[in-house]
Amino acid sequence: MGLHPREDLYEIELKREVRQFGNIAQVWSAFEVRTDPEIPTSIRGLNSIQLHNENGRWFIDSWTLQMETTVNLLVEEFLNNQ
């Protein structure tokens, strides 16, 4: 799928897992990228988000993503891990 700079993109969350300990949290979020919100695609990835809570508010400390490849089917593994 060739994306052009002016095309609309939609990130659809497929699954989220949150682990919290005290004032820190780790969020895993599997997603799919679409150019039309109604049409599923095979372009998927996994976000890794680290947060901390300070004065009653959550702050993002880091945000990293890994796109899925034919060699690295991490999203499929994550989605199937119940």
Side-chain angles (χ1 to χ4, degrees), residues 18-79:
V18 179
R19 298 205 54 195
Q20 181 180 344
F21 180 76
N23 288 328
I24 61 173
Q26 165 70 43
V27 178
W28 292 100
S29 175
F31 65 90
E32 181 178 88
V33 177
R34 300 179 183 182
T35 55
D36 180 323
E38 304 301 319
I39 302 173
T41 69
S42 60
I43 302 171
R44 302 186 302 184
L46 189 66
N47 288 310
S48 170
I49 309 160
Q50 293 74 39
L51 307 103
H52 78 276
N53 192 300
E54 186 177 316
N55 299 321
R57 180 173 178 256
W58 286 99
F59 292 87
I60 296 172
D61 295 321
S62 69
W63 188 314
T64 306
L65 73 89
Q66 172 69 55
M67 295 305 293
E68 186 174 55
T69 66
T70 54
V71 175
N72 191 10
L73 296 175
L74 62 98
V75 174
E76 195 66 40
E77 180 180 318
F78 179 77
L79 291 174

